[in-house]
């Protein structure tokens, strides 16, 4: 039986983030989309995934989803057969980032959710600032909603240093970064690639933070190779 493929979205993203990869892979692999809307910590999000699935997992996470994926490795390495980290950051938040998250929380509670999305977040997440991509990104964020976004901001503020987890990873690991990612730049991924012994590294050209949407075929091709790698489980 094939491992379950777990797709974990990033902040303010939904299942739609992975729809183009799912369309091609769903005939070959059982697929589960992780829920990261209800919990206020990465650990709780990871526990929810473990409780709602069984058996060995091939885990792909973008951005905060990658952070949750790393928590899965920490909590249950025996369950993680493969790991794919896209556009993510293993470091804890800096004081500047914590202050930024705190100010975002206050502004969302003050009714500025849509303004933040349109004027600040979406321009940072997309390199290809095209109408269709902007519309999908806005739709995902609106579907996520204000309260889950506040939960996610809390999880980002309280996350711990995940660099020690990287050194323990023994499964095939795919690391992907957008060449033009302003949120989690390529340098972070180059460092992860150096630390994780069984990792492959792909830098995607003409791409920002939302890699599965901006360059769906490149991501699909990389995932197909990754999913065929032999594992120890």
């Amino acid at each position: 039986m094939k491992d379950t493929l777990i797709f974990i979205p990033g902040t303010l993203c939904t299942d739609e983030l992975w729809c183009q990869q799912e369309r091609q892979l769903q005939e070959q692999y059982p697929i589960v989309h992780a829920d990261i809307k209800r919990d206020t910590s990465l650990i709780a999000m990871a526990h929810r995934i473990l409780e709602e699935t069984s058996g060995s997992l091939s885990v792909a996470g973008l951005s905060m989803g990658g952070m949750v994926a790393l928590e899965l490795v920490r909590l249950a390495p025996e369950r993680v057969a493969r790991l794919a980290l896209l556009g993510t950051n293993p470091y804890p938040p800096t004081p500047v980032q914590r202050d930024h998250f705190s100010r975002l929380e206050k502004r969302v509670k003050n009714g500025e959710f849509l303004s933040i999305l349109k004027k600040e977040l979406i321009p940072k997440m997309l390199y290809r600032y095209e109408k269709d991509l902007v519309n999908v990104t806005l739709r995902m964020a609106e579907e996520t909603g204000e309260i889950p976004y506040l939960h996610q901001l809390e999880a980002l503020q309280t996350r711990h240093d995940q660099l020690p987890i990287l050194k323990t990873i023994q499964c095939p690991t795919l690391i992907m970064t957008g060449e033009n990612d302003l949120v989690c730049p390529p340098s972070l991924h180059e460092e992860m690639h150096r630390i994780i012994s069984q990792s492959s590294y792909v830098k995607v050209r003409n791409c920002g933070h939302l890699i599965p949407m901006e360059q769906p075929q490149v991501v699909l091709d990389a995932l197909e190779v990754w999913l065929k790698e032999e594992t120890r489980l």
Side-chain angles (χ1 to χ4, degrees):
M1 183 176 178
K2 291 185 176 179
D3 302 325
T4 300
L5 173 56
I6 307 292
F7 282 134
I8 314 179
T11 308
L12 288 173
C13 294
T14 67
D15 302 357
E16 193 169 4
L17 174 73
W18 304 98
C19 69
Q20 297 186 69
Q21 291 78 34
E22 180 182 23
R23 190 177 300 122
Q24 299 299 318
L25 296 171
Q26 61 187 352
E27 298 295 326
Q28 306 169 61
Y29 303 93
I31 294 176
V32 171
H33 290 276
D35 177 2
I36 60 167
K37 295 181 180 180
R38 292 186 281 172
D39 301 298
T40 57
S41 73
L42 300 180
I43 294 173
M45 293 172 185
H47 273 298
R48 184 180 297 278
I49 294 170
L50 292 171
E51 291 165 3
E52 295 181 352
T53 60
S54 61
S56 59
L57 310 172
S58 293
V59 183
L62 173 92
S63 195
M64 188 174 75
M67 301 171 196
V68 176
L70 287 172
E71 286 302 315
L72 287 173
V73 173
R74 187 180 68 81
L75 292 170
E78 73 283 357
R79 294 275 310 274
V80 181
R82 298 174 187 81
L83 182 66
L85 303 172
L86 291 78
T88 195
N89 182 355
Y91 283 96
T94 65
V96 171
Q97 288 173 325
R98 285 197 180 97
D99 181 64
H100 176 62
F101 294 143
S102 179
R103 284 186 282 110
L104 283 175
E105 284 182 338
K106 291 176 182 176
R107 292 176 61 195
V108 169
K109 292 175 182 178
N110 196 40
E112 297 182 54
F113 181 58
L114 285 178
S115 175
I116 292 169
L117 287 177
K118 294 177 180 179
K119 296 180 181 179
E120 299 175 39
L121 297 183
I122 293 177
K124 286 183 180 178
M125 290 194 283
L126 293 171
Y127 174 70
R128 293 170 52 201
Y129 203 74
E130 300 167 5
K131 183 177 179 180
D132 287 349
L133 290 173
V134 171
N135 288 342
V136 172
T137 307
L138 183 59
R139 182 168 63 243
M140 290 195 299
E142 290 178 327
E143 183 180 327
T144 299
E146 295 182 22
I147 299 303
Y149 180 45
L150 291 172
H151 291 341
Q152 292 172 349
L153 286 173
E154 183 173 346
L156 290 171
Q157 287 186 76
T158 57
R159 72 185 192 269
H160 301 291
D161 184 1
Q162 295 183 308
L163 280 176
I165 301 173
L166 302 182
K167 299 175 183 178
T168 71
I169 295 172
Q170 298 297 320
C171 63
T173 301
L174 169 64
I175 297 171
M176 296 192 75
T177 180
E179 180 180 56
N180 311 98
D181 190 340
L182 300 178
V183 181
C184 297
S187 58
L188 294 172
H189 301 78
E190 291 162 4
E191 181 174 11
M192 288 189 285
H193 178 45
R194 286 195 297 269
I195 295 172
I196 302 172
S197 59
Q198 294 190 58
S199 64
S200 56
Y201 173 66
V202 179
K203 183 189 287 188
V204 186
R205 298 183 62 186
N206 300 317
C207 188
H209 190 55
L210 299 183
I211 313 170
M213 283 173 39
E214 290 196 70
Q215 296 292 350
Q217 188 61 50
V218 177
V219 172
L220 175 62
D221 290 345
L223 289 179
E224 288 182 324
V225 172
W226 167 72
L227 285 163
K228 291 174 182 175
E229 290 190 57
E230 292 187 7
T231 73
R232 58 182 175 79
L233 300 185

